[in-house]
Amino acid sequence: MFIGQYLDANQEPDPMGPDHPIIIIGDALSILGSLFNIVATLTFQAQRMTIGKMVLILSTMDLIANITSMLLVLKAAGPLQCRVMSFFVGVGYSGSAFWTCCFAHSLILSVKYGDINVIDKAFKKYVILSVLWSLPISITTTAIGYLSVDSKNGMCWHVVEDVHSWKNITGGVMFGVSCFIAIGVCAYCYISSFKELKKSTLEAHYELIFYPLILIVCYLPYALGGITSLIMYQRVPYPWNLIVNLLLYLQGFLNSIAYGLSGTINTICRKRCIKSARTNKRLLERDTLDYPQAIEAPYYSDPENRSESINRLG
């Protein structure tokens, strides 16, 4: 999902590409952030809860998107490689957008019923709908060759030679519309539940709140830029294109920050700390009770030792 470069003689060459430092840094940070989410979830066994499973899936989608983007710096062996990359780009970004919308929907459900566990029943529906959403987008990006070999550097990139081509229109509309749908769903869910959330006594799960907001911040510039470029038949200007790509590639990293501060991790850590403190207290009390017995045992367990100790005291 990239703001592509248009080969227009009236415009300066677009400096954006898979080897641009901003893209590489954004991908690297998001990969590290997604790995943090996965490792933290598995370490604290948060995957036992539905919200933990959702974090694992969302982080995996971000990981697929950013690793694919990072691999675009490699020279393409041919058009087939770019089509394979197109498929994984579709899987990663569409899956990430959909599961972020699931977090937004979970926010409404948890606030409405006052229980985070209410999302357990919705999880299977999320999984089925995510396949129905992501698979057609991924197949379409592969079929139209959303990524193609860039003649300038031999890398896979979204290069549009004809702004009126069905490839450009199909790709732009598909990603632009899907982004606006995701932004609309997240905005609606957030606004609808915000007033009730302030009154709710529900334990804070910040990933339900911040994930949808992060999507809006990261996807809105892309959606606006993509639709504008389709209407104006011109490439997005470089300064704006830089901001668009920076936000787009940093989503996984921003998600990791939100998850690190989330109620899920904090709750599990607090429970583990309380459990550890209680265990240490019990061990300390047991050792305190056993200590005098351990001292007296050599003398008083045996009558001879007992008399010997009495004589010594006398």
Side-chain angles (χ1 to χ4, degrees):
M1 195 164 70
F2 312 95
I3 295 290
Q5 52 178 315
Y6 293 113
L7 303 182
D8 190 343
N10 298 323
Q11 290 184 294
E12 294 293 329
D14 188 0
M16 293 304 298
D19 56 347
H20 194 284
I22 288 296
I23 293 180
I24 294 175
I25 292 173
D27 282 331
L29 289 175
S30 289
I31 289 171
L32 292 175
S34 299
L35 289 175
F36 166 80
N37 285 355
I38 292 172
V39 171
T41 301
L42 296 177
T43 300
F44 294 108
Q45 298 182 342
Q47 76 278 7
R48 295 180 178 180
M49 301 181 294
T50 298
I51 193 171
K53 294 184 179 74
M54 292 172 62
V55 169
L56 279 180
I57 296 175
L58 176 59
S59 299
T60 301
M61 294 297 104
D62 288 334
L63 204 58
I64 291 173
N66 291 111
I67 288 179
T68 303
S69 176
M70 183 75 80
L71 292 176
L72 294 181
V73 300
L74 302 176
K75 297 289 184 181
L80 179 60
Q81 179 179 332
C82 294
R83 288 188 180 272
V84 173
M85 293 294 190
S86 298
F87 178 81
F88 285 106
V89 164
V91 170
Y93 282 104
S94 62
S96 177
F98 180 84
W99 280 97
T100 305
C101 291
C102 292
F103 275 95
H105 182 254
S106 298
L107 178 63
I108 284 186
L109 292 179
S110 59
V111 170
K112 179 179 179 180
Y113 294 99
D115 183 11
I116 188 65
N117 296 319
V118 74
I119 64 176
D120 295 352
K121 296 180 180 179
F123 180 71
K124 291 183 178 179
K125 295 180 181 178
Y126 292 160
V127 173
I128 295 173
L129 290 175
S130 69
V131 175
L132 296 177
W133 171 266
S134 299
L135 194 58
I137 293 178
S138 305
I139 292 174
T140 303
T141 56
T142 306
I144 67 175
Y146 186 74
L147 298 179
S148 57
V149 181
D150 189 350
S151 58
K152 294 190 308 179
N153 49 34
M155 302 175 186
C156 294
W157 191 243
H158 182 50
V159 180
V160 182
E161 298 182 1
D162 181 9
V163 295
H164 302 284
S165 66
W166 66 277
K167 168 187 172 180
N168 178 47
I169 296 174
T170 303
V173 170
M174 178 179 63
F175 280 123
V177 171
S178 61
C179 281
F180 275 119
I181 291 175
I183 292 170
V185 169
C186 290
Y188 170 77
C189 293
Y190 182 77
I191 294 173
S192 299
S193 58
F194 183 72
K195 293 182 179 179
E196 296 299 326
L197 188 63
K198 292 193 296 184
K199 303 175 184 177
S200 176
T201 57
L202 183 68
E203 186 176 6
H205 286 269
Y206 293 114
E207 58 268 53
L208 295 181
I209 302 173
F210 289 131
Y211 282 179
L213 289 179
I214 291 172
L215 180 140
I216 294 173
V217 171
C218 292
Y219 278 28
L220 186 58
Y222 170 84
L224 292 175
I227 295 299
T228 302
S229 65
L230 285 176
I231 296 174
M232 303 299 294
Y233 295 119
Q234 288 188 339
R235 187 181 64 227
V236 177
Y238 173 66
W240 180 255
N241 198 2
L242 181 66
I243 296 173
V244 167
N245 283 277
L246 177 62
L247 291 174
L248 193 62
Y249 296 123
L250 281 178
Q251 184 187 6
F253 175 69
L254 296 176
N255 283 345
S256 68
I257 295 177
Y259 188 54
L261 300 174
S262 70
T264 302
I265 293 295
N266 291 336
T267 299
I268 294 175
C269 288
R270 186 167 61 252
K271 288 181 179 179
R272 286 200 170 192
C273 290
I274 293 174
K275 182 178 179 181
S276 177
R278 289 176 178 173
T279 302
N280 292 335
K281 183 179 179 181
R282 286 198 298 268
L283 291 174
L284 181 62
E285 291 175 350
R286 187 188 66 183
D287 292 342
T288 302
L289 292 174
D290 291 344
Y291 182 71
Q293 297 177 6
I295 296 177
E296 296 175 359
Y299 298 100
Y300 296 99
S301 59
D302 187 356
E304 294 182 1
N305 287 338
R306 180 181 179 183
S307 59
E308 182 180 348
S309 61
I310 293 173
N311 292 333
R312 287 179 181 178
L313 291 174

